[in-house]
Amino acid sequence: MQQGTCVKIFHGHTSEVYSVIFSLDDRILVSAAQDSSLRMWDVSKGMCVRTLQGHSSGALSVSFNPDDCILATGSVDGLVRLWDGVSGYCTRILQSHTDWVWSVNFSPDGSRLASCSDDKNIKLWDVISGDCITTINGHSGEVTSVTFSPDGQTLASASRDASVKLWDIHEHKCLKTLAGHTDQVWSVNFSPDGNTLATGSQDGFVKLWDVGEGKCIKALPRHTDGVWSLSFSPDGKMLASASIDGLIRLWDTSNFTCVKVLEGHTSTVWSVSFSPDSCTLASASSDQTIRLWDINNLNSVRVLHTQSSGVCSVCFNSTGNILAHTSQDKGIKLWDMKTFECIKTLKIDRLYEGMNIRGVTGLTAAQRSALLALGAVEGIG
């Protein structure tokens, strides 16, 4: 078993990092954290180039629009914010939810943004005007996840009421209610062709649904604990499910049979992600490791010892040569998938590194000087 070496460690947040996302051109990595801030990192230079402040509580989710020009965030404070993807300015505050916003997701054409909340509502926003197009309700429990179909015509929502709903984004009506789980649904994932929806629940089951018919195609043999993460391979041939039971199951989507139970982690597996070429699966666990699995040989080829408490999420960049992960110890690490050589350890020495204070009113000269001394900047830079 080969061991991996950390390429970069991003230190800067002061509490748990919930989410990371690469820009489509792979130049920027954005992190969202419990400390209410977002940070934009230059991947090649290993520097924090922007600190985005505005949320009053933890930032739970983050999403880029298709051309990387706009960044959307959802927060514990109940707000959705839109940020300029270059300058880091907050361009709009979308106020309508009354509780935690768990998920934000742009439509494939970037014209609309969907958000969901503990207030049991889903909202569709016009990205240009910032207007709330409609409030969609129908779930009896908190809504934990929303995702658009690949063609952008359908929205899927998952809830703690144990149901998944499919919505027509034009007529804003419920097309189908997918009922069958017996506990809260944590994960929903469309297949690359948009014809199948996979759902994972605390009840331990993964269910596959025909999107057009709204019928359950298959209830896959259950994990022994809740299913936290699902991922289709980009070629659509495989589905991976990760569970609190510490196991990953790999499913052949042509017949929905389990081709392999991937064993090795010793604690909860929180996240799974396929490489862009569908040849490698990465998994992140509370056991402080990331495992890389060869899909062709169905075995673990590398164990990355993160030395981090509770690895929360993992994602590849668009070319598959870099893997990012977040953890409960406030850190973000990047792994080089080719050389596995340690390049640099990165950290922010100043609390407000990259935070743009140009145009901020109400600051005294002394306060402004103090912020600049702590890394804040004036202007786009």
Side-chain angles (χ1 to χ4, degrees):
M1 183 82 59
Q2 293 176 293
Q3 309 298 309
T5 303
C6 184
V7 178
K8 290 185 171 90
I9 304 176
F10 291 85
H11 292 297
H13 289 291
T14 58
S15 59
E16 181 178 349
V17 180
Y18 290 130
S19 179
V20 289
I21 186 172
F22 282 100
S23 60
L24 296 182
D25 63 10
D26 294 333
R27 293 176 55 248
I28 298 294
L29 181 78
V30 179
S31 55
Q34 189 179 12
D35 63 12
S36 80
S37 74
L38 295 103
R39 296 187 186 271
M40 300 176 71
W41 308 85
D42 185 305
V43 174
S44 63
K45 296 178 180 179
M47 295 173 55
C48 176
V49 293
R50 297 281 183 269
T51 298
L52 312 185
Q53 297 279 9
H55 286 297
S56 60
S57 298
L60 297 173
S61 58
V62 58
S63 179
F64 269 111
N65 76 331
D67 62 7
D68 289 342
C69 291
I70 301 173
L71 190 69
T73 57
S75 168
V76 173
D77 63 15
L79 298 178
V80 176
R81 286 177 178 261
L82 300 183
W83 311 81
D84 184 285
V86 178
S87 69
Y89 284 135
C90 180
T91 58
R92 293 194 183 278
I93 302 173
L94 309 183
Q95 303 182 65
S96 192
H97 285 296
T98 59
D99 212 327
W100 292 25
V101 178
W102 282 104
S103 178
V104 288
N105 203 301
F106 283 99
S107 60
D109 66 4
S111 65
R112 297 185 181 188
L113 179 76
S115 60
C116 67
S117 169
D118 272 357
D119 64 13
K120 305 177 185 178
N121 292 324
I122 301 156
K123 294 184 183 289
L124 281 179
W125 308 87
D126 182 288
V127 174
I128 299 301
S129 68
D131 294 333
C132 181
I133 300 169
T134 188
T135 297
I136 301 173
N137 50 57
H139 283 292
S140 60
E142 296 89 342
V143 187
T144 55
S145 181
V146 284
T147 185
F148 282 94
S149 60
D151 65 6
Q153 302 304 302
T154 305
L155 187 72
S157 59
S159 171
R160 287 195 174 98
D161 65 12
S163 77
V164 174
K165 291 181 182 287
L166 300 177
W167 308 90
D168 184 308
I169 69 159
H170 299 292
E171 298 185 10
H172 312 143
K173 66 179 183 180
C174 182
L175 298 172
K176 303 287 182 183
T177 296
L178 311 182
H181 286 295
T182 58
D183 208 335
Q184 52 198 332
V185 181
W186 292 120
S187 183
V188 288
N189 202 310
F190 280 99
S191 60
D193 63 11
N195 294 326
T196 304
L197 185 75
T199 59
S201 167
Q202 185 61 36
D203 64 14
F205 282 100
V206 176
K207 292 181 182 285
L208 284 303
W209 308 83
D210 183 293
V211 173
E213 297 293 328
K215 295 180 180 179
C216 183
I217 304 168
K218 185 85 171 180
L220 304 180
R222 72 183 298 271
H223 285 271
T224 58
D225 211 325
V227 177
W228 193 260
S229 178
L230 295 170
S231 180
F232 278 101
S233 59
D235 63 12
K237 295 180 179 179
M238 293 288 178
L239 173 71
S241 57
S243 172
I244 299 172
D245 65 13
L247 299 177
I248 302 152
R249 294 180 186 268
L250 198 62
W251 311 89
D252 184 329
T253 59
S254 65
N255 53 21
F256 301 116
T257 58
C258 182
V259 296
K260 185 77 172 181
V261 178
L262 305 179
E263 301 178 282
H265 286 297
T266 58
S267 188
T268 296
V269 183
W270 294 112
S271 178
V272 283
S273 178
F274 280 96
S275 60
D277 63 6
S278 300
C279 293
T280 304
L281 180 73
S283 56
S285 170
S286 292
D287 66 9
Q288 301 185 13
T289 68
I290 294 169
R291 287 182 177 260
L292 300 177
W293 310 85
D294 185 315
I295 297 304
N296 295 318
N297 297 321
L298 299 178
N299 60 2
S300 179
V301 292
R302 280 192 172 89
V303 180
L304 312 182
H305 293 279
T306 69
Q307 308 302 319
S308 302
S309 59
V311 185
C312 301
S313 64
V314 63
C315 67
F316 285 95
N317 69 345
S318 66
T319 59
N321 66 326
I322 296 177
L323 183 75
H325 85 76
T326 69
S327 63
Q328 293 175 350
D329 63 3
K330 315 169 191 176
I332 305 159
K333 295 183 180 180
L334 295 186
W335 303 84
D336 188 305
M337 293 291 98
K338 294 180 180 178
T339 66
F340 289 91
E341 294 179 357
C342 185
I343 298 174
K344 187 183 296 183
T345 297
L346 308 177
K347 63 180 180 179
I348 292 179
D349 295 320
R350 299 181 297 176
L351 180 61
Y352 297 109
E353 196 75 52
M355 187 175 75
N356 197 333
I357 60 173
R358 189 178 72 172
V360 175
T361 60
L363 294 176
T364 66
Q367 289 170 331
R368 187 173 296 273
S369 295
L371 287 171
L372 292 172
L374 291 171
V377 296
E378 291 188 289
I380 294 177

